[in-house]
Every structure is written in structure tokens, then in C-alpha cells.
């Protein structure tokens, strides 16, 4: 009889487990974009994912790495469902991609950095003509009308493209480039870790572009944009997002 009750208990446990609705998997795409997605597998996107998973049980958000230049094709192939820290200006509207965007949840931007030299001031950033520019492969720049085509950037602007912001700053410090375009959020984090660079770099007051970060949601995917909007709004109201930005070194 004891064995029978043990079997019944086991079956009831299995039924209860089967009856519980499984969390819907939401694949979150991300490409290297410090401090949001770092090369070492860290970054603010992982903190946002953890916060979303802790706040509810209907969806399981899981990170999926993609390449910046392949993200349009990967979206079309449904390799990911959501992408945080995106903008409609970054070719999504131009390509008429089957996506929707949440409300803005973070602002930022890209600034120019140059070597700090005697007599050099903000007027150095007034014109890009004749200057050696360096940026990141796959990124969109305001001065180039948000066209990320490497050949066009090289042809029209003489721009060199590297893999990450640190490399672009290193090129400026080594006098291998006159100007680098970097995200202000990365620059703040970099200068907090390398304080001696503050005296070596001149940072523009001028922004190349202002970010109005949103989350991109694939249409007909596992989560609707209105639901994700609501979840992000909840994290905003309870202070989770503000804490996440501060811990990530973002000055707001």
C-alpha cells in the first residue's frame, strides 16, 4: 500500500508540473555595443534581462549574440525576438522591417574625442573635413546620414572602422586618427577606469547623434510590444532601471 501511495503522489506531482504553464521563451538579440553588450558576455542588456525575468514568470528572456551588420537578416530569420537599446533610425525604418518599438526608456548619444593639445578647443570639432576619422564596424553615424555601409564611410569620409570603442580611443591617443566617435556612456565608464586619460583626451560638446533608446520587438513573435512596454514601465516605476543605469556607470 505504501508503494501505491508513493506512485499516486508521484503521478499527482507530475500532473501539477504538467498543468503549470511554461514560461514563453523570448530571445533577446545583442551585438557588441559597450556598455550595453560587452565582448566578455557582460553588459547592461544582461542586467535588464535579469530584472525582467525576476519581475514576472510568464516570459523567459534569454540572450542571443548576433553580429551588428547581420541583425537585419537575423531578425528576418527569427533568430531573435527582442533587441534592447535600438533606434528606428538605424535602418529599421528604411528597410521596412517587421518590427515595433517600445517607448523610449533611456537617452544617450555619441560624441567626438580627440587628443588634447595646447590651443585646441571645441572649434576643432566644428568640421570633419580633412580629419582622420575612426568608428565601429556596423554602427550608424549621424554625420553620414546613418548609413553604415563601410565602403561609403571609407569613400566619403575616409573613415577607418574597428571592432570596439577602446581600439578607436587607442588610435586617437597613438595619433593614428584625429577623431573617434564613441558613445558617451562608454566614455564615462572608460574614464572612470582609466582616469589618467582625462587629461589626454578632448571631448566634444557636440553630439554626432542623440540616442533615444527603445526596445525592438519582432512582429508575430512570442511577446507583443505593448506587453514589453508595460514590463519596462514597471521597472521604471519601481526604480530598477535607474539603479541599473547607475551601476553600469551611466550618468543621467
Amino acid at each position: 500500500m505504501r508503494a501505491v501511495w508513493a506512485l499516486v503522489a508521484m503521478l499527482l506531482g507530475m500532473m501539477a508540473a504538467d498543468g503549470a504553464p511554461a514560461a514563453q521563451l523570448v530571445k533577446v538579440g545583442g551585438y557588441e555595443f559597450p556598455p550595453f553588450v560587452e565582448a566578455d558576455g557582460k553588459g547592461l542588456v544582461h542586467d535588464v534581462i535579469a530584472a525582467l525575468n525576476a519581475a514576472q514568470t510568464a516570459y523567459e528572456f534569454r540572450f542571443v549574440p548576433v553580429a551588428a551588420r547581420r541583425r537585419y537578416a537575423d531578425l528576418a530569420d527569427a533568430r531573435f525576438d527582442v533587441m534592447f537599446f535600438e533606434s528606428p533610425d538605424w535602418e529599421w525604418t528604411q528597410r521596412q522591417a517587421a518590427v515595433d518599438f517600445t517607448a523610449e526608456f533611456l537617452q544617450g548619444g555619441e560624441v567626438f574625442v580627440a587628443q588634447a593639445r595646447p590651443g585646441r578647443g571645441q572649434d576643432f570639432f566644428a568640421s570633419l573635413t580633412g580629419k582622420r576619422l575612426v568608428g565601429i564596424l556596423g554602427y550608424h553615424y549621424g554625420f553620414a546620414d546613418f548609413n553604415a555601409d563601410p565602403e561609403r564611410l571609407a569613400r566619403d569620409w575616409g573613415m577607418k572602422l574597428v571592432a570596439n570603442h577602446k581600439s578607436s580611443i587607442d588610435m586617437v591617443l597613438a595619433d593614428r586618427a584625429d577623431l573617434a566617435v564613441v558613445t558617451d556612456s562608454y566614455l564615462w565608464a572608460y574614464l572612470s577606469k582609466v582616469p589618467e586619460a582625462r587629461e589626454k583626451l578632448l571631448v566634444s560638446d557636440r553630439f554626432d547623434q542623440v540616442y533615444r533608446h527603445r526596445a525592438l520587438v519582432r512582429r508575430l513573435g512570442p511577446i507583443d510590444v505593448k506587453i514589453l512596454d508595460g514590463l519596462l514601465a514597471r521597472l521604471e516605476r519601481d526604480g530598477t532601471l535607474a539603479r541599473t543605469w547607475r551601476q553600469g556607470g551611466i550618468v543621467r
Side-chain angles (χ1 to χ4, degrees), residues 27-31 37 45 62-66 80-84:
K27 294 174 289 186
V28 179
Y31 52 90
V37 181
V45 70
R62 188 182 302 169
F63 183 77
V64 176
V66 301
F80 64 89
D81 309 304
V82 168
M83 184 171 280
F84 294 104

Side-chain angles (χ1 to χ4, degrees), residues 5-54:
W5 280 114
L7 178 60
V8 169
M10 181 182 71
L11 291 173
L12 288 173
M14 291 173 64
M15 291 173 61
D18 290 340
Q24 182 72 51
L25 176 64
V26 178
K27 294 174 289 186
V28 179
Y31 52 90
E32 188 176 347
F33 184 18
F36 307 109
V37 181
E38 304 278 2
D40 59 5
K42 299 179 181 179
L44 289 169
V45 70
H46 296 281
D47 299 328
V48 172
I49 287 172
L52 286 168
N53 286 334

Side-chain angles (χ1 to χ4, degrees), residues 65-145:
V66 301
R69 295 190 65 199
R70 277 203 51 83
R71 66 191 189 272
Y72 310 102
D74 286 344
L75 183 281
D77 292 339
R79 283 206 62 234
F80 64 89
D81 309 304
V82 168
M83 184 171 280
F84 294 104
F85 309 108
E86 275 292 314
S87 167
D89 293 334
W90 298 343
E91 294 190 46
W92 297 107
T93 300
Q94 179 183 340
R95 291 170 179 259
Q96 299 182 327
V99 297
D100 295 302
F101 284 86
T102 66
E104 174 189 327
F105 57 81
L106 179 68
Q107 286 192 6
E110 289 180 350
V111 293
F112 298 92
V113 295
Q115 272 196 33
R117 295 183 180 178
R120 178 177 285 179
Q122 288 298 316
D123 58 332
F124 185 72
F125 303 109
S127 173
L128 304 182
T129 303
K131 295 185 171 69
R132 298 169 297 166
L133 301 176
V134 59
I136 311 299
L137 183 65
Y139 280 28
H140 300 77
Y141 296 103
F143 67 82
D145 298 323

Side-chain angles (χ1 to χ4, degrees), residues 154-199:
R155 182 188 70 238
D156 296 350
W157 297 94
M159 194 174 194
K160 294 185 180 300
L161 298 174
V162 295
N164 55 64
H165 284 312
K166 185 179 183 303
S167 295
S168 65
I169 292 175
D170 287 344
M171 286 183 67
V172 167
L173 291 173
D175 197 27
R176 293 171 53 209
D178 299 314
L179 292 177
V181 193
V182 300
T183 61
D184 56 355
S185 51
Y186 175 84
L187 185 61
W188 291 323
Y190 172 84
L191 292 177
S192 69
K193 297 175 183 177
V194 191
E196 61 272 18
R198 291 181 181 274
E199 296 181 356

